[in-house]
Amino acid sequence: MAKYLIAVDSGHGMQTAGKRTPAIPEAWFNKKKGDIIHEKEFNKPAAEYLITALKRCGFDTINVSPGTADVSLKDRYTKANNAKANAFVSKHYNAFNGKWGKQNGIETIISQYASAMTKELAKMVQAELVKAHSRTDRGVKTDIQQSGNNIAILRYTNMPAIITESGFMDNLVEAKTMLDPEFQKTDAEATCRGICKFFGITYVPEKTEKVIYRVQVGAYSNRELANDTKNRLITLGYDAIVVADKK
Ligand SMILES: [Zn+2]
């Protein structure tokens, strides 16, 4: 079976107007008090972690907005259309009015003209994100409901297309997590699980390698010498054993 191709978008450039937090009230991660966080500082790593997760699950991917410069909306949906992507997923962070406030939670945006398939994809990803982040479920919304406008990357893409908004840049608690690599990864894995469900693909979690650290005192080619050292360690109160390894 041919692989599914997922177009992944991380939206705005680093300097795109407006797409940033208010000045932060204290030092967070690599930021100083008074700094701002650009939306891209979440979107880009979250999109990159998503690509890693999707590849692990057997998807092909295309990053339609790599780098930190602004890529035009038309370029982004054209890339996805030309590549005949099977789905288009754009990672974002929400904003209410650019002032710290109580607005919070996760929403997924689709075109007002979205197909039933697109709604299905949006619901599945939204559910996984809400579960993974334990944030308010603001539901799936159309672009008109969310912003009053048609959103080009949702309207002109030829495949199911969604925008995820994983939290609010102008909520203190949610803004801080934008910079947290663990949060970004959790977000990516949740998005990937939703995409897997939609395509009927088995989600493959990240392998966490078990590492065992041994403390070694000596290494001998003679068993007797090894036993002598072991016995000395035992008299000193250590719980020593001899492990035989083939060279
Ligand atoms: Zn955005």
Side-chain angles (χ1 to χ4, degrees), residues 3-246:
K3 281 185 175 184
Y4 292 113
L5 174 66
I6 312 298
V8 177
D9 177 32
S10 57
H12 333 287
M14 223 21 200
Q15 300 309 332
T16 308
K19 307 298 182 183
R20 57 197 64 188
T21 66
I24 64 174
E26 57 189 24
W28 289 344
F29 295 89
N30 56 342
K31 299 277 181 185
K32 304 186 301 291
K33 178 182 173 178
D35 282 353
I36 50 118
I37 307 166
H38 302 91
E39 187 182 345
K40 190 76 169 177
E41 292 179 73
F42 167 78
N43 297 357
K44 187 170 185 286
E48 287 165 354
Y49 284 131
L50 174 58
I51 287 171
T52 304
L54 287 167
K55 284 183 176 160
R56 189 199 315 130
C57 296
F59 289 96
D60 281 331
T61 60
I62 170 174
N63 188 343
V64 299
S65 54
T68 52
D70 210 350
V71 179
S72 80
L73 297 165
K74 190 175 179 190
D75 277 1
R76 287 187 255 153
Y77 66 72
T78 304
K79 267 190 206 169
N81 288 344
N82 288 347
K84 298 194 164 44
N86 299 100
F88 184 101
V89 178
S90 189
K91 301 301 303 170
H92 286 258
Y93 230 75
N94 227 331
F96 177 57
N97 60 3
K99 294 190 176 73
W100 296 119
K102 290 191 165 59
Q103 54 277 3
N104 69 92
I106 299 170
E107 56 195 28
T108 299
I109 319 298
I110 55 176
S111 166
Q112 64 168 327
Y113 305 109
S115 65
M117 292 258 287
T118 304
K119 284 177 193 159
E120 206 51 31
L121 172 64
K123 268 192 216 160
M124 287 174 174
V125 171
Q126 170 74 10
E128 290 295 334
L129 284 172
V130 168
K131 197 161 66 180
H133 293 319
S134 304
R135 287 188 176 169
T136 304
D137 184 358
R138 302 171 65 92
V140 174
K141 294 183 177 173
T142 69
D143 44 8
I144 300 296
Q145 286 168 331
Q146 203 242 6
S147 67
N149 297 304
N150 285 299
I151 295 180
I153 54 163
L154 299 178
R155 184 168 182 183
Y156 299 118
T157 32
N158 299 332
M159 68 292 302
I162 61 171
I163 291 176
T164 62
E165 307 270 8
S166 297
F168 276 79
M169 289 189 283
D170 43 15
N171 172 297
L172 278 170
V173 175
E174 295 187 354
K176 185 174 180 180
T177 58
M178 293 171 75
L179 299 170
D180 182 351
E182 283 310 310
F183 179 87
Q184 296 161 357
K185 242 189 206 178
T186 300
D187 190 275
E189 296 297 330
T191 307
C192 181
R193 281 195 297 276
I195 296 169
C196 283
K197 264 191 192 158
F198 176 74
F199 285 102
I201 299 283
T202 307
Y203 167 71
V204 181
E206 190 179 22
K207 271 210 188 90
T208 44
E209 280 181 23
K210 262 200 185 152
V211 179
I212 294 174
Y213 299 94
R214 299 171 196 274
V215 180
Q216 187 169 343
V217 176
Y220 310 90
S221 52
N222 178 319
R223 178 104 205 180
E224 291 298 309
L225 293 174
N227 280 337
D228 284 351
T229 302
K230 180 192 79 174
N231 292 335
R232 268 167 57 209
L233 286 166
I234 287 171
T235 38
L236 288 170
Y238 292 100
D239 202 7
I241 54 165
V242 173
V243 180
D245 275 327
K246 279 192 180 144

